[in-house]
Amino acid sequence: MAAPIDSSNRSATISVLVENEAGVLARVIGLFSGRGYNIDSLTVAPVEDERGRSRINIVTSGTEMVIEQIKAQLDRLVPVHRVADLTREGPHIAREMALIKVCSTGNDRAEALRLADAFRARVVDATIGSFVFEMTGSTDKLDAFVDLMRPLGLAEVSRTGVAAIARGTRVI
Amino acid sequence: MSQTLAATRNPAAADMQSGAEVLLRALKDQGVEVIFGYPGGSVLPIYDAIFKQDTIRHILVRHEQAAVHAAEGYARSTGRTGVVLVTSGPGATNAVTGLLDALMDSIPLVCLTGQVPTHLIGNDAFQEADTTGITRPATKHNYLVKKSEDLARVVHEAFYVARSGRPGPVVIDLPKDILIAKAPYQGVPEAPHRSYRPVTHPDPAQIVRAVAAMKQAKRPVVYFGGGVINAGVAASDALTRLVRKTGFPCTGTLMGLGAYPSNDPQFLGMLGMHGTYEANLVMHGCDVMLNVGARFDDRVTGRINAFSPDSTKIHVDIDPSSINKNVRVDIPIIGDAGVVLEALLAAWDADPTPSESQAVAGWWRQIAEWRGVDCLKFTQTRDRGGIIKPQYAIQRLYELTRETGRETLISTEVGQHQMWAAQYFKFDKPNQWMTSGGLGTMGYGLPAAMGVQIAHPDALVIDIAGEASILMNIQEMATLAQYRLPVKVFILNNQYMGMVRQWQELLHGGRYSESYSEALPDFVRLAEAFHGVGMRAESVDQLDDVIREMIACPKAVIADICVDQKENVYPMIPSGAAHNEMILGAGHGRHAAEITDEGLVLV
């Protein structure tokens, strides 16, 4: 008899190396929407120009059985070269970048700048009434910074979503 | 002169033909003999190229959906890849149902769709549809050819993808300018595909584990599905040898029928919602289950948390995403069913452990008791003028076709008649049974039978139909007439959408909402209008004569068999129930659950 099914949800960061062809992103997104899987974050960009390959990083969540199913479903798409579950296959690094616009004056403005410094966010645009901070880090760190900016005049956030890679010599 | 120069510099340039001609050349190199299609504006260059050659035969259907089902019937009955050709826009959207049907049942198809010229794509041009967008979730893969130089490569790749791994439909969307412009040809590539390389050979360690579990099995079962049929005739042969060698009982899914001879005593009949009593109880009570090429579909498992609760499950599938999708298994084996079955046979012989043959003999005694319930029993009056039971009609059809000794291939529509055909028609070989399993497409059977008859011109091809389903693609009677295809349509006519009526009776308080067909056509005259032969049996004494006459007729026939309107398909596992909560027919008067537990204690 099979072991009891673990029904608790976990988060998974999955990297997919795909052929850089028309419609490949639509295939991946369609698979998630069509089968009712979650997408918490998704990034895509060409990574091997000479071989025409792109990398898709997906952060998803579900039971162990669902995540295994997601990986198998991704792997059987024709233009997919490799699927790696970075969360399961050893330590990995996951980072995202955010541009955060804060519009405030006076004390709030000074406090926003101090906190930005503490979080190692860079000021990439400044006017009398606004800052745009650029910040790179884990999703949690970005979330924390955004929350702190909220009472200090947070106006707009633009985030890239997660890019992830395995630590050490291991490659996808 | 410049042309000559170019030709000497680049030998391929001399080889330039129109895109449509390149397409046909690629199809020929893929061994295509037949295309099922329907012309239209954007595919006219292809039709022109078809006109100018005589290697590939084109069958003109009357609706694009039928073209796809015909190609499915052709593919399913031959093991080859079916080919469809439709125009852009409505041609492509009409094909979608057939494509999804082929995807669900893993049928290899290549469907060529026309498209507006590349410079008009996205302009809402006449007969434009986002075909790759629409068919993405209805195909295994699809392509839009945007450059002439890609055309030949894409066609070869499409055939590779369609037939490799778990087979399925592939769409190639072809803009009209690509079909007209000169394109280079390239032959079938020898290099492996860049990214799609399905595993066909199993992990030997998993084979050893599987055989170890099978040797210890006291209450085993082999459960096979359409994957065995897709793996080729040799896989069915290997399955038969494995089942006989082990002495295990076996059961098959709707899609698997024919992979193991249905008349063999080790075959328990089909399993699942309308499977036999013995097959479902064996699945429920087994201690080791070997699933070969089936996917634990919800029509098979019933309530998932009550499915075969005490068994070690071995699952053989070529598609890794089928493993642990619905049911958690203990020993997954990824590979081609035929290769895996041969490996299991070899490992069974190599493993010196004796099997639990004494316990298995006890299991067979239990099975014999379950068989004694005779769950497919029905009562047919033989009185003159007596009403025909649908089960009896199928049984006589089977017996009388068998008497002829002719190769007989069966397709069905979807509904009660389909289940009765699966229960009462016996298949002793693979590729003789064409039915829409996964999608359950009414209107599948007639066009599928057409495709089967094209592939098997001398065989007896019968579409077992219901009077509701048959009307969904009845226009194909005209195709039968045009190509003189002697397909027999055997309608079990109860004037109801029978399966809908049955569910309404059992689950909706007998309120037969919209399931009765008022004003049915006169099927005899309908057959005649389409240049075929119509016949009718209204009572049991007429049945055999009509069947014999139908079989003997050299033309297309519609046989309208008027059957008992109130008959239900039994046994039945209601949706959401467990295998041991089966409902037996009226003649049995007891539910399965009452004897299951004590039955299991016996073994």
Side-chain angles (χ1 to χ4, degrees):
Chain A
M1 272 188 79
I5 297 155
D6 180 7
S7 59
S8 61
N9 276 10
R10 74 160 169 111
S11 175
T13 303
I14 297 171
S15 280
V16 192
L17 199 59
V18 301
E19 198 73 12
N20 188 9
E21 63 181 37
V24 65
L25 186 60
R27 268 177 229 291
V28 170
I29 292 171
L31 190 159
F32 275 75
S33 65
R35 293 184 183 267
Y37 305 141
N38 301 315
I39 300 182
D40 296 329
S41 158
L42 183 142
T43 60
V44 56
V47 288
E48 295 177 25
D49 270 346
E50 70 287 356
R51 286 207 283 178
R53 291 181 180 184
S54 291
R55 181 171 178 137
I56 299 175
N57 299 293
I58 304 164
V59 181
T60 182
S61 56
T63 62
E64 194 57 47
M65 205 159 156
V66 166
I67 286 167
E68 287 306 313
Q69 185 59 206
I70 289 173
K71 282 148 60 180
Q73 291 288 352
L74 285 168
D75 205 29
R76 72 178 189 147
L77 294 178
V78 170
V80 166
H81 287 278
R82 169 111 172 83
V83 177
D85 182 353
L86 294 175
T87 316
R88 269 298 139 94
E89 294 173 14
H92 71 285
I93 300 163
R95 291 285 182 274
E96 61 175 313
M97 200 260 271
L99 297 171
I100 299 143
K101 182 174 287 184
V102 178
C103 298
S104 51
T105 52
N107 276 347
D108 283 358
R109 179 173 164 82
E111 182 61 19
L113 194 62
R114 264 196 299 278
L115 284 167
D117 193 42
F119 272 77
R120 296 184 192 169
R122 290 203 302 144
V123 176
V124 291
D125 179 68
T127 66
I128 297 292
S130 71
F131 284 122
V132 174
F133 299 116
E134 176 199 305
M135 188 168 161
T136 305
S138 68
T139 299
D140 287 352
K141 183 179 164 187
L142 267 55
D143 287 347
F145 184 70
V146 169
D147 281 347
L148 285 173
M149 289 301 110
R150 218 173 290 281
L152 302 175
L154 179 72
E156 189 178 349
V157 181
S158 179
R159 288 167 76 149
T160 58
V162 170
I165 204 160
R167 286 183 185 271
T169 52
R170 216 154 33 83
V171 294
I172 190 167
Chain B
M1 187 179 139
S2 63
Q3 262 185 346
T4 343
L5 252 171
T8 41
R9 233 181 273 138
N10 178 5
D15 222 14
M16 298 281 268
Q17 293 170 299
S18 77
E21 284 163 339
V22 165
L23 171 70
L24 280 182
R25 187 168 162 193
L27 295 179
K28 278 175 208 165
D29 281 0
Q30 286 292 340
V32 174
E33 290 169 354
V34 185
I35 297 176
F36 299 92
Y38 201 101
S42 63
V43 286
L44 283 175
I46 305 178
Y47 276 88
D48 203 40
I50 288 173
F51 189 84
K52 291 178 193 158
Q53 56 86 52
D54 53 9
T55 320
I56 297 178
R57 187 174 175 207
H58 181 273
I59 304 296
L60 175 65
V61 298
R62 267 47 175 184
H63 188 289
E64 289 88 350
Q65 183 193 352
V68 188
H69 294 323
E72 285 185 272
Y74 177 88
R76 188 88 182 154
S77 66
T78 59
R80 302 163 62 99
T81 301
V83 182
V84 179
L85 170 57
V86 298
T87 194
S88 63
T93 57
N94 275 347
V96 170
T97 301
L99 293 170
L100 189 57
D101 190 274
L103 183 71
M104 297 280 273
D105 287 343
S106 308
I107 311 289
L109 295 185
V110 171
C111 176
L112 309 161
T113 58
Q115 184 53 280
V116 300
T118 44
H119 69 272
L120 284 179
I121 289 179
N123 279 24
D124 297 327
F126 177 65
Q127 291 196 332
E128 181 185 357
D130 174 9
T131 301
T132 47
I134 290 169
T135 61
R136 198 171 289 126
T139 54
K140 183 175 174 186
H141 195 54
N142 62 18
Y143 301 88
L144 169 62
V145 181
K146 283 183 171 167
K147 287 184 288 190
S148 297
E149 60 265 34
D150 291 342
L151 179 58
R153 177 185 60 78
V154 165
V155 175
H156 294 312
E157 194 176 306
F159 276 86
Y160 166 77
V161 170
R163 67 169 179 262
S164 306
R166 179 174 175 178
V170 177
V171 159
I172 311 176
D173 203 21
L174 296 161
K176 193 171 185 182
D177 54 330
I178 299 290
L179 297 172
I180 292 168
K182 294 275 185 261
Y185 185 71
Q186 64 184 78
V188 182
E190 282 167 22
H193 188 271
R194 298 180 304 287
S195 54
Y196 187 65
R197 294 170 205 167
V199 173
T200 53
H201 284 68
D203 176 355
Q206 295 295 83
I207 297 290
V208 171
R209 286 184 63 201
V211 166
M214 288 160 65
K215 288 271 169 126
Q216 287 168 21
K218 294 185 168 70
R219 304 187 310 275
V221 65
V222 177
Y223 146 47
F224 60 86
V228 179
I229 293 181
N230 276 332
V233 179
S236 296
D237 180 59
L239 173 76
T240 309
R241 281 184 283 126
L242 183 71
V243 169
R244 290 194 177 142
K245 184 182 283 272
T246 56
F248 291 175
C250 70
T251 174
T253 67
L254 182 70
M255 298 310 293
L257 295 179
Y260 188 89
S262 298
N263 282 316
D264 188 280
Q266 277 177 262
F267 183 64
L268 308 178
M270 182 174 76
L271 81 165
M273 183 172 273
H274 294 297
T276 64
Y277 184 69
E278 51 271 31
N280 285 329
L281 289 191
V282 160
M283 289 293 280
H284 189 80
C286 67
D287 67 346
V288 173
M289 175 193 301
L290 171 64
N291 168 349
V292 189
R295 59 186 175 93
F296 293 112
D297 175 85
D298 58 279
R299 297 291 109 161
V300 157
T301 60
R303 182 152 51 86
I304 207 86
N305 61 6
F307 173 69
S308 193
D310 302 314
S311 59
T312 296
K313 298 177 185 72
I314 306 163
H315 187 185
V316 180
D317 207 297
I318 198 155
D319 177 5
S321 77
S322 285
I323 307 278
N324 290 336
K325 183 171 69 178
N326 304 327
V327 171
R328 191 101 197 147
V329 298
D330 304 270
I331 308 175
I333 302 177
I334 311 284
D336 175 83
V339 178
V340 173
L341 285 163
E342 291 294 351
L344 288 171
L345 276 160
W348 178 273
D349 286 339
D351 184 341
T353 322
S355 63
E356 295 280 349
S357 46
Q358 218 167 349
V360 174
W363 182 227
W364 273 112
R365 281 193 293 279
Q366 169 65 75
I367 292 168
E369 194 175 307
W370 288 332
R371 268 184 169 158
V373 168
D374 195 9
C375 67
L376 296 179
K377 178 176 66 182
F378 59 90
T379 312
Q380 171 66 59
T381 167
R382 299 303 162 85
D383 297 346
R384 208 170 166 75
I387 295 172
I388 304 167
K389 288 283 183 188
Q391 301 94 320
Y392 182 70
I394 303 283
Q395 193 181 326
R396 288 308 290 157
L397 180 70
Y398 168 64
E399 288 161 358
L400 293 173
T401 52
R402 207 175 158 83
E403 271 178 20
T404 66
R406 287 175 65 187
E407 186 186 13
T408 306
L409 297 104
I410 301 291
S411 72
T412 73
E413 310 287 336
V414 168
Q416 284 186 320
H417 67 274
Q418 177 190 28
M419 292 299 113
W420 284 316
Q423 291 174 334
Y424 295 93
F425 208 99
K426 309 290 179 194
F427 299 92
D428 50 7
K429 284 196 299 187
N431 307 103
Q432 296 189 315
W433 165 246
M434 274 49 66
T435 196
S436 172
L439 194 61
T441 311
M442 292 170 73
Y444 167 90
L446 177 56
M450 204 163 82
V452 173
Q453 189 83 73
I454 293 283
H456 306 267
D458 301 322
L460 180 58
V461 181
I462 304 170
D463 170 28
I464 297 176
E467 82 292 336
S469 281
I470 192 66
L471 289 176
M472 285 213 182
N473 268 320
I474 193 69
Q475 77 286 343
E476 297 310 314
M477 288 300 294
T479 312
L480 297 185
Q482 177 172 345
Y483 297 96
R484 298 176 200 279
L485 300 173
V487 168
K488 316 298 183 224
V489 180
F490 189 76
I491 300 177
L492 298 183
N493 187 344
N494 58 9
Q495 299 180 32
Y496 277 99
M497 290 151 218
M499 195 59 93
V500 174
R501 194 206 59 77
Q502 174 167 346
W503 282 49
Q504 287 172 333
E505 179 190 329
L506 300 175
L507 306 167
H508 295 275
R511 291 177 294 279
Y512 300 128
S513 178
E514 304 296 322
S515 55
Y516 183 74
S517 299
E518 301 275 359
L520 280 168
D522 178 335
F523 285 106
V524 173
R525 285 161 68 194
L526 184 78
E528 285 160 7
F530 280 112
H531 316 289
V533 177
M535 41 191 82
R536 178 173 294 127
E538 288 171 308
S539 58
V540 67
D541 45 287
Q542 299 167 346
L543 180 66
D544 281 12
D545 288 345
V546 166
I547 294 175
R548 284 204 178 88
E549 205 183 324
M550 175 187 88
I551 293 171
C553 180
K555 296 174 78 173
V557 174
I558 295 180
D560 185 17
I561 312 297
C562 306
V563 297
D564 187 344
Q565 294 192 312
K566 295 292 164 72
E567 194 61 37
N568 287 335
V569 181
Y570 290 117
M572 177 176 180
I573 301 173
S575 239
H579 276 177
N580 57 349
E581 296 166 347
M582 211 177 322
I583 304 171
L584 294 173
H588 294 277
R590 59 179 172 176
H591 278 203
E594 289 170 21
I595 62 161
T596 311
D597 287 347
E598 60 184 77
L600 284 175
V601 172
L602 289 172
V603 185

